[in-house]
């Protein structure tokens, strides 16, 4: 492994960690800057629905719409492994999430573990997220806390 590969791995790990920290701190500017101009989101195994392609701004607004109504969130990215292929990379990561909303029907807490695959591309010497695929490992509590109505 050469110095560029080591540097790329650290940068990619930082991108993933800044993404989940951005969720929890509601730092939407940072979240948007981490995304490629167009991003593909596949949460179908976790939440149903369809695979969606959005602009970085649209995806950031989608995250904001889901997370801002919550009273608190905590995401932890663990066991992060990076595969490099030139200006493309895949980060495989386990994600632990705790979401809390006091006003939720049937209880205020939902927690889950998931396996994520994050595809990144190098754009102007910076790594950007181009695709996120999330598959559930376990979940407990009230998933209804994600309903937008309070």
């Amino acid at each position: 492994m050469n110095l560029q590969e080591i540097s790329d791995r650290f940068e990619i790990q930082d991108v993933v960690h800044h993404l989940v920290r951005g969720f929890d701190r509601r730092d939407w500017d940072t979240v948007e800057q981490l995304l490629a101009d167009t991003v593909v989101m596949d949460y179908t195994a976790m939440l149903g629905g369809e695979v969606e392609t959005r602009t970085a701004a649209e995806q950031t607004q989608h995250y904001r719409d889901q997370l801002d109504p919550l009273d608190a969130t905590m995401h932890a990215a663990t066991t992060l492994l990076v595969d490099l292929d030139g200006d493309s990379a895949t980060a495989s990561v386990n994600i632990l999430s705790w979401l809390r909303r006091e006003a939720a029907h049937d209880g205020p807490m939902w927690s889950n573990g998931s396996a994520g695959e994050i595809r990144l591309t190098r754009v102007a010497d910076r790594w950007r997220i181009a695709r996120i695929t999330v598959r559930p490992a376990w979940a407990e509590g009230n998933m209804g806390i994600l309903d937008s109505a309070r």
Side-chain angles (χ1 to χ4, degrees):
M1 190 175 321
N2 64 39
L3 287 177
Q4 183 61 54
E5 291 171 335
I6 293 168
S7 176
D8 287 341
R9 287 175 188 280
F10 278 119
E11 287 177 36
I12 289 165
Q13 289 175 359
D14 278 355
V15 167
V16 173
H17 289 295
H18 281 288
L19 178 71
V20 298
R21 187 173 75 174
F23 294 159
D24 297 334
R25 292 184 177 183
R26 307 302 195 264
D27 183 355
W28 304 121
D29 290 336
T30 295
V31 169
E32 186 171 343
Q33 291 171 13
L34 297 170
L35 302 176
D37 291 342
T38 302
V39 61
V40 177
M41 307 306 291
D42 183 354
Y43 284 82
T44 57
M46 172 92 52
L47 301 173
E50 302 292 326
V51 175
E52 304 214 27
T53 301
R54 298 184 175 115
T55 67
E58 291 168 339
Q59 183 57 40
T60 301
Q61 186 61 50
H62 180 77
Y63 284 137
R64 188 176 200 150
D65 292 344
Q66 285 190 319
L67 298 177
D68 275 352
L70 301 175
D71 296 313
T73 65
M74 180 177 284
H75 294 80
T78 67
T79 320
L80 204 159
L81 301 172
V82 176
D83 291 315
L84 294 168
D85 185 14
D87 287 339
S88 297
T90 302
S92 299
V93 60
N94 292 331
I95 303 167
L96 303 170
S97 303
W98 295 268
L99 310 177
R100 184 168 188 81
R101 185 164 159 226
E102 290 298 328
H105 178 67
D106 292 336
M109 182 69 84
W110 182 50
S111 61
N112 69 75
S114 59
E117 182 176 281
I118 301 173
R119 300 278 306 159
L120 301 99
T121 186
R122 190 188 326 258
V123 177
D125 292 329
R126 294 184 66 192
W127 288 99
R128 304 289 180 153
I129 297 169
R131 181 183 180 101
I132 298 177
T133 302
V134 178
R135 299 197 185 340
W138 59 268
E140 60 184 30
N142 174 26
M143 187 175 172
I145 66 168
L146 295 175
D147 296 338
S148 60
R150 275 196 173 227

